[in-house]
Amino acid sequence: MNEPLEIQALEQLALRFRALEAAPTWRQRLRSRPALLGVVAALVLTGTAGAGVVALTEGPPFPDAPAGDLAPRDRPVPGSDSLADALAPDPAGGPAWGIRVSESETGQRCMAVGRVHDGRVGRIENGEFRELGRLGPSGCQPPLAPGQAFSGRVSFTGSPEPRSVAHGFAAADVDRIEIRPRRAAPITVEPSADGTYIAVFEGLPTLAYTVHFDDGTTQVLDPTSKEPVDLRRRR
Amino acid sequence: VGALTDARSFEAFYRRHAQAVLVFLTRRTLDPELALDLTAEVFATAYRQRAKFRGSTERDAAAWVFKIAANLHLRYLRRGHAERRALERLGIETPALTESDTARIEELAGLAELREQVAERFAELPAAQRDAVALRVVDDLSYPEIASRLGITEDTARARVSRGLRMLRGLLRPSHEGSAR
């Protein structure tokens, strides 16, 4: 497992290069493994595929990054983690995506995204669920400041297929957030009761945000524009 | 390094050199966002051309990628915008920089100090060169426009900008060049 690069944008680029490895599509996998066709057919016939029931085996959890490699602001406090309310479906089906929220040693709010299985957040690799380590995969940010509309991060994963996962916290007066990839349909999410939101996109697009507030006003954040690119904004 | 030919080892190669290239370009452009755009294009170019890489050592590979970086920076200076041809061919979009990323890149590149030094050195340039450089770099005017504004020929405008930038260039040599993460 590669150690993440310190500059977040460089790490995101690394994942984009990794995605070039072109994980085979589901169609290609099915062609190359005829036995899977039978499994899919059975799932369809029994209706379990539509219900999102996927047989997963438990794989080894991902190891923690060495604690010394992380600054205190990026080290989640043991026992402070919980599964956030927000969940989002994967475009190809299977377990939902969710956010593991925790608090760092300096009071930052940390988020790690992945597929949710038995209330835990992890990755699915070759039919195995592997829980994320406590140290390493989280991104930590300050809690929302007074007047701050929302905080946003986009996590990228290239395995098994490239996904962009937009997630974060929204203020209490945010009604909904429209997240728009450059060349695909937008996804509109409503913040959950705990203020979290999450949306999952195929591929690795650049995302623009329109935040709709309860009072009918909106705020547009477009990282592709000439405006500042940080997703955190004060109203 | 034999193997830059598959994507996974290319990613490892990228991870070893990306930050050094970013610092290299930040010190040349004084602009982390632009430097990130150029860095992304550098590695996209390297990815597309990896089959042509003839070196055999890590040092060869680093030299190769820094050569691409220097060429793309030069092209940026000539054309006034960062090229995105390789990125577009690969369908890669450059990620947005967060405030903390920007601050860290500026720190790694020693940008605050560098900006001060450039400002000091800029102030020491002969007035004619300083005006020409300011019109070209700060106001982004073309050479014909600079010539017209200063009442000189286009060739003279080019010469003044060129000399002025040459005097500043020594400052923009990165101290972190070639270092890995």
Side-chain angles (χ1 to χ4, degrees), chain B residues 59-70:
Chain B
R59 183 184 287 258
D60 293 338
W64 176 63
V65 81
F66 276 98
K67 179 92 183 297
I68 295 172

Side-chain angles (χ1 to χ4, degrees), chain A residues 2-18 20-21 73 156 182-183 204-207 223-225 227 229-233, chain B residues 6-8 10-12 14-15 18-19 22 33 36 39-40 43-44 47 84 87 90-101 104-105 108 181:
Chain A
N2 287 308
E3 189 184 335
L5 292 168
E6 182 183 2
I7 308 291
Q8 193 182 320
L10 287 181
E11 177 63 22
Q12 291 171 3
L13 258 181
L15 297 177
R16 291 172 194 206
F17 281 114
R18 182 187 298 173
L20 292 177
E21 205 172 14
R73 57 159 284 157
F156 299 91
R182 198 180 272 177
R183 294 184 198 86
L204 307 161
T206 296
L207 303 173
T224 63
S225 77
E227 295 296 309
V229 292
D230 190 10
L231 300 180
R232 289 169 294 148
R233 288 289 178 277
Chain B
D6 70 80
R8 196 165 285 280
F10 184 85
E11 183 196 340
Y14 165 90
R15 287 179 178 278
Q19 184 167 301
L22 179 61
E33 195 175 347
L36 179 68
T39 300
F43 282 94
Y47 183 84
R84 295 189 36 82
L87 286 167
L90 295 175
I92 291 179
E93 292 182 12
T94 311
L97 271 183
T98 61
E99 284 172 6
S100 60
D101 268 358
R104 182 61 180 142
I105 295 168
L108 287 168
R181 302 180 56 207

Side-chain angles (χ1 to χ4, degrees), chain A residues 46-134:
Chain A
T46 57
T48 48
V53 177
V54 175
L56 287 177
T57 55
E58 189 79 23
F62 285 99
D64 281 342
D69 287 359
L70 298 173
R73 57 159 284 157
D74 293 323
R75 281 201 297 260
V77 175
S80 68
D81 53 296
S82 61
L83 180 65
D85 290 343
L87 293 173
D90 185 83
W97 289 81
I99 312 167
R100 188 181 63 198
V101 182
S102 54
E103 189 177 318
S104 83
E105 293 175 12
T106 59
Q108 307 273 312
R109 207 145 50 166
C110 306
M111 295 180 288
V113 295
R115 309 299 283 272
V116 177
H117 179 62
D118 287 341
R120 295 166 298 146
V121 173
R123 300 257 184 274
I124 296 173
E125 292 184 345
N126 303 317
E128 277 188 345
F129 174 82
R130 299 185 62 192
E131 186 175 6
L132 297 180
R134 186 175 60 83

